[in-house]
Amino acid sequence: MRRTQQRIALFALPALVGGVLMTTAPAGADPAQPAGAAGSGRSHLEDSEAVRLVRIKLTGADMLDKVVAAGFDLEHGLRRVPTGIEGEAVVTAEQITELQAMGAEILGDDESFAWSEEADGGIQAARAQAVGTFSHSETVRVVRADWFTTKGQGFLYVEARTTDGQQTNPIVTMQLENDSGPDTSFGFARTMSRFVDSGQYMFHRNLFKLDARPNQIRVTSSTGGVTTGFVSNWLEDGAPPLTANPAYKWDFVDGYRTPQQLYSRAEEIARQYPDIAEIVYLPNKTNGYQRKAQATIGGTGQAAVVVSSAAWGHEGGNDITVEFVNRPGANLPLSVEVAGKAVRVLLAKDASGALASTAAQVAAALRAQSQGLIDRAHPYRTNAGTGIVQATSAPVALTDFLDEKRAGAPEGEVPRGPATIPVLRIGKHRDGRNPGVLIQAQDHAREWVPATTSLEAAERLVHNYKSDWETKKIVDNTDVFLILSNNPDGANYSFYNFASQRRNLTNHCADDNADPARRNSWGVDLNRNYRVGSGHDGYAGGSTSCVSDTFQGPEKLSEPESKNIVWLVEKYRNIKFMMSVHSNGGQLFWQPGAYIANGRITTPRPPLGDEAFYWQSAGRILSQVKAYRETVVTPENVGGSSDVLYSSAGNVREDLYHNYGIYAFGWEVGGSIYNPATGNWQGGSFQPAWVGNPELVSGHSETMEYANGIMEMFRIAAEWGKDNKKPTSKLVPSAGKSSGSVDVRFETSEPATIYYTTDRSRPTLESPRYQATEFREPGQVFHVTETTTFNWFSVDSAGNIEQNYDPTKNDTRNNYRTATAHR
């Protein structure tokens, strides 16, 4: 089980030491005994001695939605495998039984999917055919063939697609062969893995080790199709971390930071560097690190009563006591007495002198007669409350479960009221003239590395502005907005109470889920609370259950944290780039991010030009990550997030791209790193030890390498803002006569969107757009069977139009591109 030790480390709660967080439990500590958490009111999972981490296998995205909706936390550490999705869960024995009843398979230590490292002969040799010239009727296409090296080991990653891929009787198989370099023969036949998601065929793919870089691959289908493709390099080797300046300053962050520490440092940076930095305060305050004081009195049966204070715990709720009193006598009515903050429920008695108040009756009396001290009172969960309430042996103190769970933090370290989120804005010209870049970290509370990564990038900008030319160009030519923690309430809860907290602290639960034993399951997944591709509109990946870790909220933009993002991009219209930084999957992705499961209908895919720009940017960003310690985010983990991993309804990236035209990336830092000592890929953690194995899992190393990537994104934005070079394009093969049909396609000098016509009319922005053959593939091929004239123009990502053509005017110059394909 390659990732067990790292994922268990998530449950080792930290302690504050001199403002720097250090883990207090050794790697591999028992997750049932988190450090510093004694008597801290942990969740039932953490309290249970039977809790353990297991690897599970799900049949696909539909089952994933079902399992997550049931309250299981499987949002990260997932990987798509040929026959479904594998993930990890921290569960009790009872929950293992529940998962199995839902159809999940519990995997043994050696049962996880692993790419085959040995040639297996592929499909039957008799099926193989000689390679012929590509034609429109071929059934096999190479999507991508990428070569990369990491830690001294070479890898080849291949995706190929067959038009017969949906066929299931028999299932179509594909064979992959590669040469050993130019002018060598094909060999090393392997059977490729077939991937299906939500019942739809995606592609076949493989990742395997090779000692020598191949030049070409050959893919053969069991239905007879065959094609070849050239191998490309994935990422640059030895790319410098942004600058070759030996005086370049970096490595500023020395440990994990709480939201208070992050915000304090952001405000200090603005004071220290007023010529290039300022603070923008977001208008919508969060719910706050605060809870109502609660108690469940009388167990969990029909006689149990759940009581919640009207006031927040720190504002008086924690001072309330509730006592159920058995008085002497008979035929006594149910009543409530209040003296200060002491609430006494005088239980009813029948004619025989026996107690006669049901839990439902006691709850109603508390709501009506507690003089405003009790806000909610109800039977336990779905109970009807028909049991007879028994007297308590002493008054029961209500608590918000926060005061005693501060892990040694000084009093006042965490403000209890609603929080105002600051945005650190860095740029020499903060007046809208330069393209804006929004970095949003820690939407999910337990993800600590994204916050330190974003802070490290901010520190590099201000410290190197006057001494490094590359940094000066970034600061002079971009307008950077950094939200170092977009979920301060949840993050504080993760630091001080429950390390696994993912969501914010807003409790939208009704009475059936409002008892304090559910407190670690409340909150909204902020990255499911947006408007495009929302679960409210039937897209998969967002839950309607208030105790699910992907709870989408009661409505779109219900949460102040998501409203703030919309406010920011609407106020600062120059924001053209955005990166939502998460952990720990080791992925970089963009749109589409969600789909309707029935038929796998995705949100609109970006035009081919935007898709190409995303891929180009990803290569640059990830090459800078690799430059630090050869960490490679593999091609299988890059692309549209619904294609790479799963559907995430209502995510922020879709909203910003489709509503505001912002190039919006999602980034899962961390993830798998190749370990040459074992020959395996080793996974990461939400909260890895800050100083761990520098070559494998380490909060410090992840912070440094991914800060490299953020810096490269700033440079991409700066170059984009200065880009006034017009794209060029051509139709290939070039125009000419053919004795029969001909296949043609467009090529561009840079990522660009092509608008074209074939009826000799002027192309406009309403004309058809040149599209990909299929998702993750290059542009379509036109099979021309009669003489056809193509008129077109191209527009690059910065809005430059080829040959200064104006598609909005009926210009008599008609300076669009034109070519005729002759039969």
Side-chain angles (χ1 to χ4, degrees):
M1 204 183 307
R2 293 194 295 264
R3 286 185 271 199
T4 301
Q5 182 169 340
Q6 287 69 34
R7 293 298 299 276
I8 287 176
L10 167 65
F11 294 92
L13 298 180
L16 283 170
V17 181
V20 178
L21 285 158
M22 304 295 289
T23 53
T24 57
D30 183 351
Q33 301 295 331
S40 56
R42 296 185 298 274
S43 74
H44 66 285
L45 284 184
E46 290 181 295
D47 285 334
S48 171
E49 293 183 359
V51 70
R52 65 188 180 100
L53 185 145
V54 298
R55 284 201 60 78
I56 66 172
K57 181 178 176 182
L58 312 174
T59 56
D62 291 345
M63 182 178 288
L64 175 63
D65 286 344
K66 178 182 175 182
V67 170
V68 171
F72 291 94
D73 178 9
L74 299 175
E75 266 300 288
H76 294 264
L78 295 175
R79 62 191 293 238
R80 190 191 298 277
V81 299
T83 54
I85 296 175
E86 289 183 3
E88 295 171 342
V90 179
V91 289
T92 63
E94 180 181 355
Q95 290 172 317
I96 289 176
T97 301
E98 183 181 350
L99 281 169
Q100 290 173 322
M102 297 171 72
E105 179 184 352
I106 308 301
L107 300 176
D109 288 354
D110 300 320
E111 292 182 315
S112 297
F113 172 77
W115 297 103
S116 173
E117 296 181 7
E118 302 295 333
D120 61 8
I123 61 178
Q124 294 179 3
R127 302 245 186 156
Q129 299 178 357
V131 179
T133 303
F134 173 81
S135 109
H136 72 287
S137 62
E138 291 288 0
T139 63
V140 175
R141 298 189 301 274
V142 173
V143 178
R144 61 185 313 115
D146 292 305
W147 167 261
F148 64 89
T149 60
T150 177
K151 313 291 186 181
Q153 177 62 57
F155 287 89
L156 175 65
Y157 174 73
V158 177
E159 288 176 9
R161 186 175 279 118
T162 169
T163 55
D164 298 324
Q166 196 67 23
Q167 176 181 314
T168 58
N169 188 23
I171 291 177
V172 176
T173 57
M174 305 245 304
Q175 172 180 285
L176 171 67
E177 298 168 279
N178 62 271
D179 63 19
S180 299
D183 301 322
T184 60
S185 60
F186 289 111
F188 317 105
R190 286 173 167 82
T191 302
M192 298 186 72
S193 296
R194 178 176 181 265
F195 282 74
V196 174
D197 184 39
S198 284
Q200 300 298 309
Y201 169 71
M202 303 282 284
F203 38 66
H204 285 71
R205 69 180 182 183
N206 269 73
L207 173 71
F208 54 91
K209 298 177 184 177
L210 288 178
D211 293 329
R213 185 194 188 283
N215 182 53
Q216 281 187 289
I217 61 167
R218 180 167 66 190
V219 179
T220 305
S221 166
S222 59
T223 57
V226 60
T227 191
T228 61
F230 285 95
V231 176
S232 301
N233 289 330
W234 174 243
L235 308 185
E236 298 177 23
D237 287 323
L242 185 69
T243 177
N245 181 358
Y248 184 74
K249 304 178 185 71
W250 57 288
D251 201 357
F252 294 97
V253 182
D254 55 3
Y256 292 119
R257 304 293 177 90
T258 66
Q260 291 70 242
Q261 293 167 327
L262 293 166
Y263 295 168
S264 176
R265 180 54 189 152
E267 291 164 340
E268 186 178 9
I269 286 173
R271 289 192 297 269
Q272 288 179 313
Y273 303 92
D275 56 329
I276 59 171
E278 64 179 303
I279 295 293
V280 175
Y281 291 101
L282 297 176
N284 300 290
K285 292 188 174 183
T286 69
N287 174 76
Y289 177 71
Q290 55 188 7
R291 287 270 171 87
K292 299 297 181 71
Q294 292 187 297
T296 299
I297 306 173
T300 59
Q302 288 291 342
V305 180
V306 178
V307 181
S308 302
S309 64
W312 297 108
H314 66 284
E315 293 180 344
N318 288 333
D319 301 325
I320 296 173
T321 61
V322 175
E323 183 180 11
F324 295 166
V325 180
N326 180 4
R327 298 164 291 166
N331 291 319
L332 298 177
L334 172 65
S335 63
V336 177
E337 294 180 344
V338 178
K341 295 293 181 68
V343 179
R344 300 178 77 238
V345 178
L346 308 179
L347 300 172
K349 304 190 78 171
D350 61 18
S352 67
L355 292 173
S357 298
T358 66
Q361 292 168 337
V362 168
L366 282 167
R367 294 194 300 269
Q369 302 175 43
S370 65
Q371 299 181 19
L373 292 179
I374 303 302
D375 181 57
R376 298 171 74 171
H378 51 85
Y380 182 77
R381 298 193 182 173
T382 58
N383 292 347
T386 56
I388 300 301
V389 172
Q390 301 300 303
T392 57
S393 59
V396 177
L398 273 58
T399 176
D400 61 8
F401 296 94
L402 297 176
D403 285 339
E404 72 276 26
K405 294 198 60 189
R406 303 287 294 283
E411 187 63 33
E413 172 72 14
V414 185
R416 285 291 200 275
T420 297
I421 299 175
V423 182
L424 177 58
R425 186 181 187 187
I426 300 175
K428 182 62 177 177
H429 306 289
R430 302 182 301 281
D431 54 10
R433 76 178 74 172
N434 288 331
V437 185
L438 171 59
I439 304 296
Q440 176 209 55
Q442 210 170 40
D443 240 6
H444 294 151
R446 64 193 174 198
E447 298 167 10
W448 297 357
V449 175
T452 55
T453 296
S454 302
L455 178 60
E456 172 70 19
E459 298 281 9
R460 293 184 189 184
L461 288 178
V462 298
H463 282 91
N464 291 295
Y465 176 62
K466 293 184 178 180
S467 59
D468 180 70
W469 176 241
E470 290 289 342
T471 304
K472 180 174 174 57
K473 286 195 296 185
I474 290 172
V475 176
D476 286 350
N477 295 300
T478 63
D479 194 358
V480 173
F481 298 81
L482 295 120
I483 302 176
L484 300 179
S485 176
N486 195 48
N487 184 2
D489 304 341
N492 277 319
Y493 199 70
S494 176
F495 274 103
Y496 299 118
N497 302 95
F498 179 57
S500 297
Q501 180 71 16
R502 171 182 165 93
R503 295 158 286 164
N504 69 5
L505 288 194
T506 307
N507 179 9
H508 291 289
C509 285
D511 291 350
D512 58 342
N513 280 306
D515 59 272
R518 293 285 205 209
R519 66 187 179 277
N520 291 339
S521 298
W522 296 330
V524 174
D525 182 344
L526 299 177
N527 205 34
R528 299 296 184 274
N529 194 230
Y530 290 86
R531 298 166 294 182
V532 176
S534 169
H536 296 281
D537 297 322
Y539 285 82
S543 175
T544 59
S545 169
C546 71
V547 292
S548 167
D549 252 340
T550 56
F551 178 47
Q552 62 196 8
E555 59 187 21
K556 303 173 187 178
L557 295 183
S558 62
E559 304 309 293
E561 297 91 343
S562 50
K563 290 176 182 174
N564 279 334
I565 300 300
V566 171
W567 175 88
L568 191 68
V569 298
E570 289 188 346
K571 180 175 177 64
Y572 300 100
R573 292 286 184 163
N574 63 318
I575 294 176
K576 301 299 181 184
F577 294 84
M578 185 267 189
M579 183 174 284
S580 181
V581 191
H582 294 258
S583 67
N584 64 320
Q587 290 118 6
L588 182 60
F589 40 65
W590 46 85
Q591 306 75 43
Y595 55 75
I596 296 171
N598 185 14
R600 203 178 185 278
I601 304 170
T602 70
T603 50
R605 292 185 178 275
L608 181 59
D610 281 3
E611 180 87 2
F613 181 70
Y614 273 125
W615 276 104
Q616 181 188 75
S617 300
R620 292 180 57 175
I621 290 167
L622 296 176
S623 291
Q624 291 299 323
V625 173
K626 183 181 179 182
Y628 181 73
R629 55 170 184 162
E630 292 193 82
T631 296
V632 172
V633 175
T634 60
E636 67 184 291
N637 288 316
V638 180
S641 62
S642 65
D643 303 332
V644 168
L645 195 54
Y646 50 73
S647 177
S648 53
N651 68 78
V652 64
R653 305 179 306 278
E654 302 258 48
D655 201 313
L656 269 55
Y657 177 79
H658 290 293
N659 285 330
Y660 305 101
I662 295 170
Y663 287 108
F665 294 80
W667 203 357
E668 291 272 350
V669 308
S672 296
I673 299 175
Y674 180 70
N675 184 350
T678 63
N680 294 319
W681 292 80
Q682 182 167 334
S685 166
F686 294 117
Q687 299 147 17
W690 180 257
V691 181
N693 185 334
E695 292 300 314
L696 294 175
V697 180
S698 161
H700 173 264
S701 294
E702 289 181 6
T703 295
M704 296 305 123
E705 65 191 353
Y706 285 98
N708 279 3
I710 290 179
M711 294 297 292
E712 184 66 16
M713 185 171 181
F714 295 154
R715 188 159 64 173
I716 290 169
E719 293 173 3
W720 181 90
K722 294 294 183 182
D723 181 10
N724 57 14
K725 183 179 180 180
K726 308 296 187 293
T728 61
S729 59
K730 59 184 178 180
L731 190 70
V732 294
S734 58
K737 290 188 177 181
S738 171
S739 59
S741 60
V742 62
D743 293 325
V744 296
R745 67 185 188 279
F746 288 112
E747 288 185 357
T748 59
S749 60
E750 61 177 297
T753 299
I754 289 178
Y755 297 84
Y756 70 95
T757 64
T758 55
D759 60 0
R760 297 184 178 272
S761 62
R762 296 180 72 255
T764 70
L765 294 172
E766 302 302 318
S767 299
R769 281 191 306 220
Y770 184 52
Q771 300 177 351
T773 305
E774 182 58 274
F775 67 91
R776 297 175 70 83
E777 292 193 34
Q780 64 198 106
V781 175
F782 300 99
H783 185 61
V784 178
T785 58
E786 59 185 32
T787 299
T788 303
T789 296
F790 290 83
N791 295 333
W792 78 91
F793 65 93
S794 61
V795 185
D796 69 15
S797 62
N800 299 306
I801 301 180
E802 186 172 11
Q803 298 186 162
N804 285 320
Y805 174 64
D806 188 342
T808 65
K809 296 179 181 179
N810 192 8
D811 193 332
T812 57
R813 293 178 301 167
N814 288 334
N815 57 330
Y816 48 78
R817 298 296 314 283
T818 185
T820 300
H822 298 276
R823 178 177 175 180

